[in-house]
Short mmCIF file of all heavy atoms in Angstrom, two decimals:
data_model
loop_
_atom_site.label_atom_id
_atom_site.label_comp_id
_atom_site.label_asym_id
_atom_site.label_seq_id
_atom_site.Cartn_x
_atom_site.Cartn_y
_atom_site.Cartn_z
N ILE A 304 56.56 27.74 -8.31
CA ILE A 304 56.66 26.30 -8.03
C ILE A 304 58.13 25.87 -8.12
O ILE A 304 58.65 25.17 -7.24
CB ILE A 304 55.79 25.49 -9.03
CG1 ILE A 304 54.32 25.86 -8.87
CG2 ILE A 304 56.01 23.98 -8.85
CD1 ILE A 304 53.40 25.32 -9.96
N ARG A 305 58.81 26.35 -9.17
CA ARG A 305 60.23 25.98 -9.36
C ARG A 305 61.09 26.51 -8.22
O ARG A 305 62.10 25.90 -7.85
CB ARG A 305 60.73 26.50 -10.71
CG ARG A 305 60.06 25.79 -11.88
CD ARG A 305 60.55 26.32 -13.21
NE ARG A 305 59.78 25.73 -14.30
CZ ARG A 305 59.07 26.43 -15.19
NH1 ARG A 305 59.05 27.76 -15.15
NH2 ARG A 305 58.40 25.81 -16.13
N ALA A 306 60.69 27.66 -7.67
CA ALA A 306 61.49 28.24 -6.58
C ALA A 306 61.27 27.48 -5.26
O ALA A 306 62.16 27.41 -4.42
CB ALA A 306 61.12 29.71 -6.40
N ILE A 307 60.06 26.91 -5.10
CA ILE A 307 59.75 26.24 -3.82
C ILE A 307 60.25 24.79 -3.82
O ILE A 307 60.82 24.31 -2.83
CB ILE A 307 58.22 26.27 -3.55
CG1 ILE A 307 57.72 27.71 -3.42
CG2 ILE A 307 57.89 25.48 -2.27
CD1 ILE A 307 56.20 27.85 -3.41
N VAL A 308 60.02 24.09 -4.93
CA VAL A 308 60.30 22.64 -4.94
C VAL A 308 61.77 22.41 -5.34
O VAL A 308 62.21 22.82 -6.41
CB VAL A 308 59.34 21.92 -5.93
CG1 VAL A 308 59.62 20.43 -5.96
CG2 VAL A 308 57.89 22.19 -5.52
N ARG A 309 62.51 21.72 -4.45
CA ARG A 309 63.97 21.61 -4.64
C ARG A 309 64.37 20.71 -5.80
O ARG A 309 65.29 21.02 -6.53
CB ARG A 309 64.62 21.12 -3.35
CG ARG A 309 64.67 22.21 -2.26
CD ARG A 309 65.63 21.85 -1.16
NE ARG A 309 65.13 20.77 -0.33
CZ ARG A 309 64.36 20.94 0.74
NH1 ARG A 309 64.00 22.16 1.12
NH2 ARG A 309 63.96 19.92 1.45
N ASP A 310 63.66 19.59 -6.00
CA ASP A 310 64.03 18.67 -7.09
C ASP A 310 63.43 19.22 -8.39
O ASP A 310 62.20 19.25 -8.55
CB ASP A 310 63.45 17.28 -6.76
CG ASP A 310 63.81 16.26 -7.83
OD1 ASP A 310 63.97 16.66 -9.00
OD2 ASP A 310 63.91 15.07 -7.50
N PRO A 311 64.28 19.62 -9.34
CA PRO A 311 63.76 20.25 -10.57
C PRO A 311 62.80 19.35 -11.35
O PRO A 311 61.85 19.83 -11.95
CB PRO A 311 65.01 20.55 -11.39
CG PRO A 311 66.16 20.45 -10.45
CD PRO A 311 65.75 19.54 -9.33
N ALA A 312 63.04 18.04 -11.31
CA ALA A 312 62.16 17.13 -12.07
C ALA A 312 60.78 17.11 -11.43
O ALA A 312 59.74 17.11 -12.12
CB ALA A 312 62.77 15.73 -12.11
N VAL A 313 60.74 17.08 -10.10
CA VAL A 313 59.45 17.08 -9.40
C VAL A 313 58.74 18.42 -9.64
O VAL A 313 57.53 18.46 -9.90
CB VAL A 313 59.65 16.82 -7.88
CG1 VAL A 313 58.34 16.93 -7.12
CG2 VAL A 313 60.30 15.45 -7.67
N ALA A 314 59.50 19.51 -9.56
CA ALA A 314 58.92 20.84 -9.79
C ALA A 314 58.27 20.88 -11.17
O ALA A 314 57.14 21.36 -11.32
CB ALA A 314 59.99 21.91 -9.66
N GLU A 315 58.95 20.37 -12.16
CA GLU A 315 58.44 20.42 -13.53
C GLU A 315 57.14 19.62 -13.64
O GLU A 315 56.20 20.02 -14.31
CB GLU A 315 59.51 19.86 -14.48
CG GLU A 315 59.73 20.68 -15.71
CD GLU A 315 59.67 22.19 -15.54
OE1 GLU A 315 60.36 22.76 -14.68
OE2 GLU A 315 58.88 22.81 -16.28
N ARG A 316 57.12 18.48 -12.94
CA ARG A 316 55.91 17.64 -12.97
C ARG A 316 54.72 18.36 -12.30
O ARG A 316 53.57 18.13 -12.65
CB ARG A 316 56.21 16.34 -12.20
CG ARG A 316 55.63 15.11 -12.85
CD ARG A 316 56.07 13.85 -12.13
NE ARG A 316 57.49 13.60 -12.24
CZ ARG A 316 58.23 12.97 -11.32
NH1 ARG A 316 57.67 12.54 -10.20
NH2 ARG A 316 59.50 12.78 -11.50
N LEU A 317 55.02 19.24 -11.36
CA LEU A 317 53.96 19.97 -10.65
C LEU A 317 53.49 21.21 -11.41
O LEU A 317 52.52 21.86 -11.00
CB LEU A 317 54.46 20.40 -9.27
CG LEU A 317 54.59 19.29 -8.23
CD1 LEU A 317 55.44 19.76 -7.04
CD2 LEU A 317 53.21 18.84 -7.74
N CYS A 318 54.20 21.55 -12.49
CA CYS A 318 53.87 22.79 -13.22
C CYS A 318 52.67 22.57 -14.15
O CYS A 318 52.78 21.81 -15.12
CB CYS A 318 55.07 23.25 -14.04
SG CYS A 318 56.28 24.13 -13.05
#
Side-chain angles (χ1 to χ4, degrees):
I304 297 169
R305 292 179 187 121
I307 298 169
V308 180
R309 286 196 288 272
D310 181 331
V313 175
E315 226 38 53
R316 220 174 294 150
L317 286 165
C318 280

